[in-house]
Amino acid sequence: VPLVEDDGRVIVVTSGLGPLMHSYSGEQRQAALMNDNDDLAPMMEECLTAYEQFTTIEERITAFESIEFPGGPFAESAPDFHMYGLAKMFGDAIMLRMARNYPTLRVNSVDPGLVYTDLILKMPKYAGMEKEETGAQSPEEGVEGTMRLLF
C-alpha cells in the first residue's frame, strides 16, 4: 500500500470460493477474518503448516478441520480447491481491511469466473476435458474484467 497513491486503485482477483470457504470456517475464525484488529498472518501460517505437515488427503482434511478451516465438499472431492479457496478467503479479508483502512483508495474485487487452467482439470468433474467441454473461459477472456477495472 505505501507505493499506491492516495487516490490509487487496488484490484483483488478473487473467486466465489473465498466467501464459501469463509462460511465453512469455525465461528471464531469467521469473526477473526472480519476483525481489522486480528492478525491474519498466524492463521495463514496455520493453514500452510496443516498442508505441508501432512502428505495424504485424509491427514490434511483432519488437520484443516482441527484448526477450524474445513473445506466442505472440496476437502475430499477437490483438495487443490480447498487450498485455493483458503487463499481467496484470506485475499478477500485483506481486501476488506484495505478498503476500510484506506478509504481514499479505490479497492475493487473481481471474480473472473471459471477459467480453463490446470487447476480446474484437477477437479474430477473436469478431468481430461477440453476447454469447450467445460464451459470455462480462456485465460485471456478471464483477465478481461480485471483489465477493465485497471484501465
Side-chain angles (χ1 to χ4, degrees):
V1 176
L3 299 177
V4 179
E5 295 177 19
D6 287 342
D7 64 344
R9 186 180 309 232
V10 176
I11 311 296
V12 177
V13 179
T14 190
S15 163
L17 282 176
L20 193 59
M21 294 304 286
H22 182 269
S23 73
Y24 295 147
S25 302
E27 286 184 31
Q28 288 182 324
R29 296 295 192 166
Q30 289 181 18
L33 286 162
M34 298 303 292
N35 184 344
D36 288 351
N37 297 320
D38 282 334
D39 188 4
L40 295 176
M43 285 189 279
M44 290 184 216
E45 285 298 323
E46 282 182 274
C47 289
L48 289 171
T49 300
Y51 183 82
E52 293 170 347
Q53 190 174 10
F54 300 102
T55 55
T56 69
I57 292 171
E58 294 79 16
E59 290 172 325
R60 288 177 176 162
I61 290 170
T62 301
F64 281 118
E65 287 175 352
S66 74
I67 60 171
E68 296 186 74
F69 285 120
F74 299 105
E76 290 184 40
S77 67
D80 292 320
F81 267 73
H82 188 177
M83 285 301 292
Y84 176 82
L86 289 172
K88 295 304 182 178
M89 176 190 71
F90 284 118
D92 290 346
I94 291 167
M95 178 217 30
L96 288 169
R97 290 167 186 223
M98 191 179 302
R100 287 191 293 254
N101 293 323
Y102 300 93
T104 60
L105 285 180
R106 287 170 281 176
V107 180
N108 292 285
S109 175
V110 61
D111 178 353
L114 188 62
V115 177
Y116 190 77
T117 64
D118 60 341
L119 184 61
I120 73 160
L121 295 177
K122 292 180 181 181
M123 289 185 71
K125 178 179 179 177
Y126 301 111
M129 292 181 144
E130 295 296 321
K131 179 187 159 301
E132 295 72 25
E133 299 172 286
T134 65
Q137 303 176 82
S138 69
E140 293 80 11
E141 293 166 325
V143 76
E144 188 176 318
T146 305
M147 298 304 288
R148 286 178 189 233
L149 287 170
L150 280 172
F151 306 103

